[in-house]
Amino acid sequence: MTAAPQHAAGAAAPAAADTLALGDTIRFRGALWVVTAFHGPRVFLDAAEPVEPVEPLIILQTAMTCAPDFAVLDRAAPRSTLPARIGEFSALPRDVRKAAEKWERHVEEVLHEQAPYVPATTPPGPAFDPQRRTLRQRYQAKAAQLTQAGDPVSAATVERKCAAWRKEGLMGLVDKRHLRVAAPHGRVDVRVVDIVWEVLDDERDRGLSPGTLSRLIDRVEQTVRARYAHLLADPATARGLVNSPATFYRLLERLGITAQNAHTAAARRAAGSAISAQRPGSRRATWARWPGDLVQIDTTGLDVLVLGDDGRVISVELTIAIDVATRSIVGSLIVPKRVGRTGGGGRWLAGRATRSFDTMQVVAQTTAPLPARPGWAPETLMEGSDLPFEDLLAADPRFAGAAARPVIKPETLVIDHGSPFISADFTRACHSLGIEVREARLRTAVDKAIVERAMRAVKTGFSQYLATYTHHRLDLRGKRVRKQPLWTLAQLQELFEQWVVLRWQQTPHGALRSPFTPGVRLTPNQMYAALVSLRGYRSTALTPQENRKLLPAVWVRVSRKGFQINNRTYNLGRGKLDPCRGPSGLTAQQGRWEVHYSPDHPEVAWLFNHRAEPDTDPWIEVPFIHRRLLDDRWTEETWAQALNIHLATGGSRRDEAAITRATAQLLRTATAGPPPAATGPIPRAAVTPRPELPAPTKSHDDDMPPLDPNSVRPFRSLDRPAGDLFDTSEPVRGAGQSLEEFLASLPGLHPPSPTDPGPVGDADGMTRPEVTFEAGNAPALPTPGAPPCDEPDSPRQGDDQ
């Protein structure tokens, strides 16, 4: 093997996990290569041990790093892989897990200066103070402490445990005897299996043509008899070395060897797998040298009301990840906030809180560019920003059309003691990606001061400008906040991402100073452009199998009908799940099987078959049986809400098809949006009926006789002459005029004819003339204050009286 050039290794910074550097010696396609140059997405490789002159190899970096035999061979921090699954530690017996967690506390006390959950004000013990004791002295002090406590161990054991914990995390402290599984080749001696691969490798090295399986079996038996002749005389020691032809054929079938692919299978086995990653060393909490050296993550309430998926007004929580070196917000997610419990149901009201899967999505955002949304301003694009767009686009085509936010993968992630961050799923996912997780000390503000201050800046620069902003103090909160226009959760997420790109990433920060211009404040994008040259941008992609290990794990029982996850049945047709039917053999999980799925895409789940043969894919993709009834994208939250609607209408939990149709109807309702405002009258069915008023009480007696119109006596006429009504002292004109003449002088009035009936008499003997008004000839009303008259020149009435 040819080592990397010393000048290349000394000129560049130490290579981090998931990066490539000039001078690295790698393994690719069964050969050793040296990385000599980069040109955009292409990598130039030279042969490390050329037997004869070989032309340099130019290949896409993605195609090279995704190859099954790719590995970096000469680096202190090799390419990260996933040595353990999220659910692997949970499958171990309880006493084994307790012992590993106990050792982890001792190891952290030796390496991290203090044990977990110890206040920062408590000074470290004299035996483990790094200012007074070397690392080897601390090993000896821990061994003496455990021996005195009744658990005798040596300093070498403590050192070995510390090295295993740095390399593999918590799984490195597990007793390896509990990780042993039965050999896939049955009772055949393992030395026979090694001879099978030895014979195939010898044929492939000598350039011989592959033959039949019977020829391979004959050569293996000849090698066994020649090498282990002294053991074949004793039947007890010869067990497993001498096998029948049928046993040999079954062994070759388990090893995946056929007459057509014998040499190919041997070459694939010789290539091996990628090298596992090592944990980076611990560094200071608030000081970083390059992008990704230290990233802080935290969750807080956003002080904003939004419209939930069910139409209710809810509060939200914001989770952000901020890079210490550049002050860039490299990941963000807004989720509903739970505020209380319902009566007796045990479910949270108004949504849910941040879960471990949500925090994993924030970490995942740090590894990919942020795509610009339709309708965003041109200033949000990376193409016109201070970021080195052309260089980044040449290294990663995903930057085309991306927003002006850098991609910074964390090397060390600082978290608090919240349940989403200290969960096993989040910790295992970060360790699998080569990210060191460090818990902030209790009551120590400096450990997470940057992300806490960034949260305050978000509330003052973003939240308070929204109409539904709620102050963190109740006495200062507006009285009509809930009546303001509300944003939906998706709209608020898009608004915040646009604010991060336009404002946060392009606003000068007081803590960002360039070493070349220390008097000028830089923006986060400008600081990233100045520091990216120290590390470069050469991220490597994970394979689909490795990505599935990052999903949440559940344990299920597999039957003829498949398995269930949250009241959903997953199954494959034609008996494809028959090898996994029945108990799994994992006693710690009561015979259940490990399944991974995404809550954002629950239409498919992946079952991990730990009994799979070597060189085969152990992941089995199992779809939801009623997935064809759902055309739109749906999530775990949508399914839970549709289940509640289905149960409220009297449905059953076992009717999965009805729940699926309820989910489809809920998605259609959400797609259609709210109904249009009504323009016509509101129907009576939609108006809340008013309470009926009591009937009014009757003012008369019920025994009163009915009214007879003929028995009503008319109102009597005047009992004095009309001339007596005027009290004027002037002489009255026309005093000798009779009543009939007076009435005849009025316009529209005619005296009664002789044929007309006489006047109606009153009870007192007085007579009253009948007055008839003709249509359209009504008498004119007199002017107020003037005496009535029929014509302008006619004398006033009553002159003769």
Side-chain angles (χ1 to χ4, degrees):
M1 179 185 302
T2 302
Q6 297 297 330
H7 67 278
D18 293 341
T19 59
L20 286 177
L22 296 179
D24 286 349
T25 302
I26 66 171
R27 179 173 56 206
F28 176 63
R29 293 183 179 178
L32 300 181
W33 304 86
V34 178
V35 179
T36 57
F38 294 109
H39 186 270
R42 297 176 178 83
V43 181
F44 290 73
L45 304 177
D46 281 341
E49 297 179 350
V51 180
E52 57 185 12
V54 180
E55 293 293 332
L57 178 63
I58 304 175
I59 190 172
L60 291 175
Q61 178 180 342
T62 305
M64 178 187 66
T65 56
C66 291
D69 62 336
F70 170 78
V72 182
L73 304 179
D74 68 336
R75 297 172 55 194
R79 175 178 180 263
S80 66
T81 59
L82 305 180
R85 305 180 307 277
I86 293 177
E88 186 175 2
F89 184 76
S90 302
L92 298 174
R94 183 177 181 181
D95 55 342
V96 178
R97 286 180 284 148
K98 291 292 183 181
E101 292 171 354
K102 180 180 178 181
W103 262 111
E104 186 178 34
R105 291 192 293 269
H106 295 307
V107 169
E108 289 181 349
E109 187 177 6
V110 174
L111 299 180
H112 286 195
E113 302 179 11
Q114 288 183 337
Y117 308 107
V118 175
T121 56
T122 304
F128 305 104
D129 191 352
Q131 303 296 334
R132 302 178 182 178
R133 297 294 185 93
T134 63
L135 187 59
R136 187 165 300 279
Q137 291 176 346
R138 281 180 275 167
Y139 292 154
Q140 297 175 354
K142 176 55 68 175
Q145 181 185 23
L146 295 177
T147 303
Q148 186 177 3
D151 188 8
V153 295
S154 61
T157 302
V158 178
E159 182 179 1
R160 179 172 53 84
K161 292 289 185 180
C162 292
W165 183 79
R166 281 182 174 274
K167 183 179 180 180
E168 303 180 19
L170 186 58
M171 288 298 299
L173 304 177
V174 175
D175 190 349
K176 299 302 185 293
R177 292 175 295 179
H178 297 276
L179 299 178
R180 297 172 183 172
V181 295
H185 43 265
R187 297 183 178 181
V188 179
D189 197 297
V190 66
R191 291 171 288 188
V192 177
V193 180
D194 295 337
I195 292 176
V196 171
W197 296 116
E198 181 181 346
V199 170
L200 291 178
D201 291 338
D202 180 68
E203 292 180 352
R204 187 167 54 87
D205 293 340
R206 291 192 296 166
L208 302 179
S209 301
T212 61
L213 295 182
S214 59
R215 190 188 77 173
L216 175 62
I217 295 174
D218 292 340
R219 292 184 177 180
V220 171
E221 289 180 343
Q222 294 175 5
T223 306
V224 169
R225 285 194 294 267
R227 185 174 302 177
Y228 303 106
H230 61 286
L231 299 177
L232 299 180
D234 187 3
T237 57
R239 182 178 302 175
L241 293 175
V242 179
N243 302 279
S244 62
T247 303
F248 264 111
Y249 280 110
R250 287 193 298 267
L251 172 64
L252 298 178
E253 183 180 1
R254 293 191 186 100
L255 297 178
I257 298 175
T258 62
Q260 290 76 21
N261 70 340
H263 288 183
T264 304
R268 189 185 306 114
R269 177 185 176 275
S273 58
I275 300 177
S276 60
Q278 296 180 359
R279 294 164 55 91
S282 60
R283 302 184 179 96
R284 294 179 58 184
T286 56
W287 183 74
R289 295 169 288 180
W290 49 71
D293 186 21
L294 196 66
V295 176
Q296 298 179 4
I297 187 172
D298 195 15
T299 299
T300 186
L302 198 55
D303 294 342
V304 174
L305 297 180
V306 301
L307 186 64
D309 296 337
D310 54 356
R312 293 183 296 181
V313 181
I314 59 175
S315 302
V316 292
E317 285 184 350
L318 171 66
T319 303
I320 63 172
I322 183 170
D323 178 60
V324 175
T326 63
R327 299 301 196 271
S328 299
I329 297 180
V330 293
S332 62
L333 186 65
I334 301 176
V335 299
K337 181 181 180 181
R338 53 189 182 187
V339 297
R341 291 185 182 273
T342 58
R347 295 183 178 273
W348 287 104
L349 183 65
R352 55 172 174 79
T354 304
R355 305 170 302 178
S356 60
F357 183 70
D358 300 325
T359 57
M360 292 166 58
Q361 293 186 65
V362 175
V363 176
Q365 291 181 19
T366 64
T367 62
L370 175 65
R373 306 293 195 276
W376 283 17
E379 293 80 3
T380 60
L381 298 178
M382 183 182 292
E383 185 175 359
S385 65
D386 296 325
L387 296 173
F389 172 71
E390 296 181 356
D391 297 337
L392 295 176
L393 181 62
D396 193 343
R398 297 179 300 175
F399 282 104
R405 192 189 76 178
V407 177
I408 302 175
K409 180 187 175 182
E411 297 181 14
T412 303
L413 195 63
V414 180
I415 63 174
D416 56 12
H417 299 272
S419 58
F421 300 107
I422 63 175
S423 62
D425 292 347
F426 179 79
T427 305
R428 300 294 184 271
C430 292
H431 287 175
S432 300
L433 290 175
I435 301 175
E436 179 187 2
V437 178
R438 179 190 303 168
E439 294 183 3
R441 293 169 292 181
L442 294 176
R443 295 181 294 277
T444 307
V446 297
D447 285 0
K448 280 178 28 347
I450 295 177
V451 68
E452 296 289 352
R453 185 61 183 88
M455 287 295 187
R456 284 184 52 192
V458 168
K459 294 181 181 180
T460 57
F462 174 74
S463 299
Q464 69 171 345
Y465 292 99
L466 299 177
T468 56
Y469 169 68
T470 60
H471 204 280
H472 64 278
R473 288 178 51 182
L474 294 178
D475 57 334
L476 299 179
R477 183 172 300 178
K479 298 181 180 180
R480 299 182 180 272
V481 177
R482 289 180 173 267
K483 296 184 180 180
Q484 303 300 322
L486 298 174
W487 299 98
T488 62
L489 196 63
Q491 292 172 342
L492 185 63
Q493 177 73 32
E494 184 175 346
L495 280 177
F496 180 76
E497 292 177 350
Q498 190 173 4
W499 177 83
V500 169
V501 175
L502 282 177
R503 294 293 182 140
W504 183 271
Q505 293 296 132
Q506 302 187 28
T507 301
H509 197 284
L512 300 180
R513 308 279 178 164
S514 173
F516 307 103
T517 56
V520 180
R521 297 186 304 171
L522 302 181
T523 65
N525 285 347
Q526 293 173 348
M527 194 66 181
Y528 175 80
L531 296 180
V532 70
S533 58
L534 299 178
R535 306 294 290 174
Y537 181 83
R538 291 287 168 183
S539 61
T540 57
L542 297 177
T543 62
Q545 292 78 9
E546 292 174 332
N547 284 323
R548 292 167 189 167
K549 299 178 183 180
L550 304 178
L551 298 176
V554 294
W555 296 89
V556 300
R557 300 185 184 277
V558 181
S559 62
R560 180 179 57 86
K561 298 182 179 180
F563 56 88
Q564 282 199 344
I565 301 177
N566 295 338
N567 206 59
R568 297 186 303 272
T569 301
Y570 296 79
N571 196 5
L572 287 174
R574 300 180 181 179
K576 294 182 180 179
L577 280 182
D578 289 346
C580 299
R581 287 176 55 183
S584 62
L586 301 176
T587 57
Q589 292 295 332
Q590 292 80 37
R592 293 175 294 183
W593 293 83
E594 181 181 352
V595 175
H596 296 247
Y597 81 103
S598 173
D600 290 339
H601 302 278
E603 62 270 8
V604 177
W606 287 273
L607 185 146
F608 183 80
N609 183 14
H610 60 277
R611 298 177 179 175
E613 300 295 336
D615 300 328
T616 60
D617 188 7
W619 297 95
I620 303 176
E621 181 177 346
V622 187
F624 175 46
I625 60 175
H626 297 297
R627 69 188 185 281
R628 300 186 183 275
L629 299 178
L630 299 170
D631 298 332
D632 299 330
R633 177 182 174 182
W634 56 287
T635 62
E636 189 79 19
E637 297 295 330
T638 309
W639 177 269
Q641 187 175 353
L643 176 60
N644 294 334
I645 297 175
H646 176 71
L647 296 178
T649 57
S652 174
R653 288 182 176 270
R654 298 183 179 180
D655 194 353
E656 296 184 20
I659 301 175
T660 307
R661 287 191 291 269
T663 305
Q665 180 62 33
L666 185 62
L667 294 173
R668 288 192 295 268
T669 304
T671 303
T679 57
I682 301 176
R684 293 185 176 270
V687 180
T688 304
R690 297 182 178 179
E692 297 182 359
L693 299 177
T697 58
K698 296 182 179 180
S699 60
H700 54 79
D701 298 333
D702 295 339
D703 55 353
M704 184 176 180
L707 178 64
D708 186 6
N710 296 328
S711 64
V712 177
R713 188 178 68 174
F715 193 81
R716 64 180 182 174
S717 61
L718 296 176
D719 55 353
R720 61 170 59 184
D724 299 342
L725 297 177
F726 300 95
D727 54 355
T728 178
S729 58
E730 297 180 0
V732 180
R733 294 177 296 177
Q737 187 180 10
S738 63
L739 180 61
E740 289 77 5
E741 294 175 353
F742 171 73
L743 294 175
S745 65
L746 296 177
L749 297 180
H750 304 280
S753 60
T755 59
D756 293 339
V760 179
D762 292 340
D764 52 2
M766 299 292 293
T767 60
R768 180 174 56 87
E770 291 186 358
V771 182
T772 305
F773 297 91
E774 295 181 357
N777 195 18
L781 296 178
T783 304
C789 59
D790 54 345
E791 292 181 3
D793 55 344
S794 62
R796 291 185 300 175
Q797 298 179 6
D799 288 345
D800 298 337
Q801 297 181 359

